Amino acid sequence: MTAIALLPSIAALRSQVRLWRQAGQSVALVPTMGALHAGHISLVEQAKQRADKVVATIFVNPTQFAPTEDFSKYPRTLEADVAKLTEIGADAVFTPTAEDMYPEGFCTTISLRGPATAGLEDRFRPTHFQGVATVVAKLLLQALPDAAIFGQKDYQQLAVIRQLTSDLNIPVEIMGAATVRESDGLAMSSRNVYLSEDERAAAPVLHRCMTKAAQRIRDGEAMEAALAPARNKITSAGFEIDYLEVRDAVTLASVEGRYRKGLRILVAARLGRTRLIDNIEV
Ligand code: PAF
């Protein structure tokens, strides 16, 4: 196993990427907040297919958490993360500090419309995407990779990042990777560790119900009618639903009526103190 390069500062990241560039090598970035699971590992694997060198970033970004959210208890497992990245063959891991990313006097953020104001996550986490967009823009400009890869599980986030890089002419290919699921369908997430045993047993209902609703829509049922039984089942399993909607898969605009191409079902729901999100293609 080759050793992974540990890059604890922006200067170290830039000088490593410069060396690779001088050797004519391409670079892919895998931005994460750590607490790595099989979903992240699959992002690294896909990044390895795309570029000669892969840099994973681990930074629990404070600006994308509201004061009421789980920033302080978000799982931090750096040693295990670095071991997993080494095993999978990532070439480097960038672990900036909060002071590096947001030094004294930092006062610039990215202001968003379009997919960031689609009325999904933004309705419940109004400051979230501004924090995500700002940190992702910084990471892309710090590393200047050829490509960066993000999971489709955070579907609205992926749409926001695509829009951001296009609008700001950031010359990085944005790749979206399919959600990795547990064998019972639950989407892998670093937040799944918050679920109690009973909650974990109930959680796959989200994927099951979305899959059934998608089938009913493909079979010709009106979208709202197809979602109604899903809403009931998810609520009966103990969830409080923030949203369960069918949207245009590209713009995330609201849609109604019956099946057409390019639709996505998106859900966010709270089970106890854990909030889960997921989505599937119709
Ligand atoms: O999806 C995540 O893990 C984070 O939102 C990201 C993209 C790494 C930005 O902090």
Side-chain angles (χ1 to χ4, degrees):
M1 224 182 295
T2 28
I4 191 166
L6 301 176
L7 309 173
S9 67
I10 298 165
L13 170 72
R14 287 208 162 124
S15 98
Q16 177 63 82
V17 172
R18 195 176 314 118
L19 287 177
W20 287 332
R21 292 272 182 231
Q22 281 163 359
Q25 288 169 312
S26 57
V27 179
L29 196 73
V30 184
T32 82
M33 297 205 299
L36 302 184
H37 50 67
H40 297 111
I41 299 308
S42 131
L43 296 181
V44 174
E45 273 164 354
Q46 291 172 65
K48 281 169 59 131
Q49 303 292 319
R50 170 62 181 81
D52 300 314
K53 297 290 176 186
V54 172
V55 182
T57 79
I58 297 180
F59 178 62
V60 186
N61 174 36
T63 65
Q64 68 190 74
F65 291 79
T68 51
E69 292 179 349
D70 57 345
F71 174 68
S72 58
K73 75 165 188 165
Y74 195 85
R76 286 161 172 86
T77 56
L78 185 60
E79 218 174 293
D81 291 346
V82 172
K84 285 179 189 167
L85 291 169
T86 306
E87 197 182 338
I88 189 72
D91 298 281
V93 55
F94 174 49
T95 54
T97 61
E99 292 70 36
D100 246 342
M101 295 299 268
Y102 301 111
E104 181 86 21
F106 183 92
C107 58
T108 302
T109 54
I110 292 179
S111 144
L112 305 156
R113 285 182 288 125
T117 52
L120 295 164
E121 281 304 285
D122 50 296
R123 216 154 28 100
F124 300 89
R125 308 183 72 190
T127 57
H128 175 64
F129 288 123
Q130 190 183 70
V132 169
T134 304
V135 82
V136 169
K138 283 172 69 74
L139 291 168
L140 295 179
L141 294 169
Q142 287 160 359
L144 284 177
D146 298 277
I149 185 160
F150 300 86
Q152 286 183 344
K153 188 190 149 263
D154 296 294
Y155 197 80
Q156 190 178 3
Q157 166 175 285
L158 179 59
V160 170
I161 292 168
R162 285 192 196 287
Q163 186 76 45
L164 157 87
T165 47
S166 164
D167 288 350
L168 298 186
N169 307 106
I170 301 177
V172 176
E173 178 195 340
I174 302 301
M175 298 165 66
T179 303
V180 178
R181 298 182 181 281
E182 304 284 358
S183 56
D184 57 11
L186 177 65
M188 290 204 183
S189 163
S190 305
R191 289 190 167 99
N192 289 351
V193 297
Y194 300 156
L195 296 169
S196 69
E197 210 174 302
D198 287 350
E199 290 168 347
R200 173 63 190 82
V205 74
L206 290 182
H207 181 244
R208 234 179 6 252
C209 288
M210 280 195 300
T211 306
K212 279 197 189 128
Q215 184 61 55
R216 296 170 83 128
I217 294 169
R218 283 196 302 275
D219 288 346
E221 196 167 334
M223 294 184 213
E224 256 320 301
L227 288 179
R231 271 203 193 96
N232 287 338
K233 283 214 178 82
I234 291 171
T235 308
S236 306
F239 278 94
E240 280 185 53
I241 298 177
D242 281 349
Y243 58 82
L244 172 64
E245 294 192 29
V246 185
R247 292 291 183 106
D248 181 283
V250 176
T251 63
L252 297 184
S254 298
V255 289
E256 48 188 40
R258 291 177 201 273
Y259 179 75
R260 63 167 173 77
K261 273 200 174 145
L263 298 175
R264 199 96 193 166
I265 300 184
L266 301 104
V267 68
R270 282 165 288 121
L271 189 57
R273 284 187 303 186
T274 309
R275 186 169 182 276
L276 298 178
I277 63 171
D278 200 354
N279 65 86
I280 60 167
E281 189 183 350
V282 174

